[in-house]
């Protein structure tokens, strides 16, 4: 009887041990292993960071039409930019942000049939961010959508002391679009985005337009003008970048970017009195053919970790 009891106790202890091992998923062959304690930081589902600098050589154009005359400003700007991107492979999502401000601006104004007038200086800057979701594809290629916001200050101007009232155009943009990334082995990648801007609110002033003296009713002579505008706009933007990975943690990219905005707006046309620079003539009018265009090449150096 004692021998039977000892045998039963050994069998029960063995069965209990097997149950404990089975509860630890992976101790027995054929069972799925348990979740790691730090699954969100595991090698299978990492967070990936990119941060770096870009240089954008950008050509900008402001265009409008008033009273049958066309007013154009074209600038050539050198814009340094900082950027950050965080990818979460576990959720196939990312966030990114960027900000840039022109270091050098030069260009020319053209008002109606007057000869173009050159200028240097101005304020061109932007800041914004996007949230993206790329659920389609595989490790080599992924595609999805994004939603974001961008603020733009577009004020190329000569920065003369007597035209400090120039505020530039301030634009708040909603961004909705498609984005994709392709990895070419371990040595290169391609990034692309095509974005619609269904709504953008613009307010402020266009660049100052100098022109030859003209006589207005009452004998007042004017020689400069600008347009104070406000209204809703819409448009699109796109960007394409090709990257090369000289080291595991360094990426060098080249590519291009463009954005375009247009839309109906109301305007106050302001002309300077040549005899009294602080006096103005105003006229309120619809602003026709109002548009903003900026495009150019990009060079990027980015750290990856």
């Amino acid at each position: 009887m004692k021998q039977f009891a000892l045998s039963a106790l050994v069998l029960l202890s063995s069965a209990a041990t097997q149950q404990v091992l089975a509860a630890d998923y992976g101790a027995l062959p054929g069972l799925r292993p348990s979740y790691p304690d730090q699954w969100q930081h595991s090698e299978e589902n990492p967070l990936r960071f990119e941060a770096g600098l870009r240089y954008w050589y950008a050509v900008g154009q402001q265009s409008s039409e008033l009273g049958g005359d066309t007013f154009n400003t074209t600038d050539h700007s050198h814009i340094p930019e900082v950027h950050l991107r965080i990818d979460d492979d576990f959720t196939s999502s990312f966030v990114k942000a960027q900000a840039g401000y022109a270091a050098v601006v030069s260009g020319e104004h053209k008002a109606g049939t007057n000869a173009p007038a050159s200028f240097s200086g101005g304020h061109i800057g932007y800041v914004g961010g996007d949230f993206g979701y790329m659920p389609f594809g595989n490790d080599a290629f992924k595609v999805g959508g994004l939603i974001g916001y961008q603020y733009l200050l577009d004020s190329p101007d000569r920065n003369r002391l007597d035209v400090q009232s120039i505020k530039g155009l301030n634009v708040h943009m909603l961004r909705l679009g498609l984005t994709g990334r392709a990895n070419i082995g371990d040595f290169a990648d391609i990034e692309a985005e095509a974005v619609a801007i269904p709504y953008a609110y613009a307010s402020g002033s266009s660049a100052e337009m100098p022109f030859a003296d003209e006589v207005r009713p009452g004998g007042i002579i004017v020689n400069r003008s600008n347009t104070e505008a406000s209204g809703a706009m819409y448009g699109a933007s796109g960007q394409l970048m090709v990257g090369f990975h000289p080291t595991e943690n360094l990426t060098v990219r080249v590519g291009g970017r463009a954005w375009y905005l247009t839309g109906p707006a109301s305007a106050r046309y302001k002309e300077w009195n040549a005899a009294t620079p602080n006096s103005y003539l105003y006229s309120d009018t619809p602003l026709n053919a109002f548009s903003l265009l900026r495009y150019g090449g990009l060079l990027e150096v980015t750290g990856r970790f």
Side-chain angles (χ1 to χ4, degrees), residues 91-133:
T91 60
S92 299
S93 63
F94 68 85
V95 292
K96 65 183 179 74
Q98 60 191 25
Y101 190 85
V104 178
V105 182
S106 62
E108 65 178 27
H109 304 295
K110 190 174 189 310
T113 59
N114 293 289
S118 61
F119 68 88
S120 61
H123 304 285
I124 298 171
Y126 51 88
V127 62
D130 297 319
F131 170 77
Y133 180 52

Side-chain angles (χ1 to χ4, degrees), residues 37-207:
D37 293 336
Q38 300 295 330
W39 61 269
Q40 65 270 32
H41 300 295
S42 69
E43 294 181 358
E44 291 80 6
N45 299 293
L47 291 176
R48 294 181 289 110
F49 296 82
E50 290 189 0
L53 298 173
R54 294 190 184 113
Y55 163 70
W56 187 17
Y57 175 73
V59 178
Q61 294 181 351
Q62 291 185 10
S63 298
S64 61
E65 183 180 312
L66 283 169
D69 290 328
T70 300
F71 298 85
N72 293 312
T73 298
T74 301
D75 69 85
H76 302 267
S77 300
H78 303 269
I79 306 177
E81 177 183 307
V82 295
H83 73 96
L84 170 69
R85 175 170 172 145
I86 304 174
D87 285 89
D88 180 6
D89 288 344
F90 185 78
T91 60
S92 299
S93 63
F94 68 85
V95 292
K96 65 183 179 74
Q98 60 191 25
Y101 190 85
V104 178
V105 182
S106 62
E108 65 178 27
H109 304 295
K110 190 174 189 310
T113 59
N114 293 289
S118 61
F119 68 88
S120 61
H123 304 285
I124 298 171
Y126 51 88
V127 62
D130 297 319
F131 170 77
Y133 180 52
M134 297 195 297
F136 308 109
N138 50 40
D139 291 339
F141 174 75
K142 286 190 174 182
V143 66
L146 64 81
I147 182 172
Y149 161 83
Q150 180 168 307
Y151 165 75
L152 167 67
L153 169 63
D154 198 289
S155 181
D157 198 83
R158 63 176 60 197
N159 278 348
R160 286 171 48 180
L161 294 177
D162 58 348
V163 289
Q164 290 300 306
S165 61
I166 297 294
K167 303 172 185 177
L169 285 169
N170 298 271
V171 187
H172 302 270
M173 291 179 270
L174 172 65
R175 292 164 45 86
L176 297 171
L178 299 175
T179 183
R181 171 179 282 189
N183 294 315
I184 306 172
D186 295 328
F187 62 88
D189 63 54
I190 300 175
E191 296 179 352
E193 64 178 40
V195 176
I197 303 172
Y199 179 80
Y201 178 75
S203 64
S205 302
S206 68

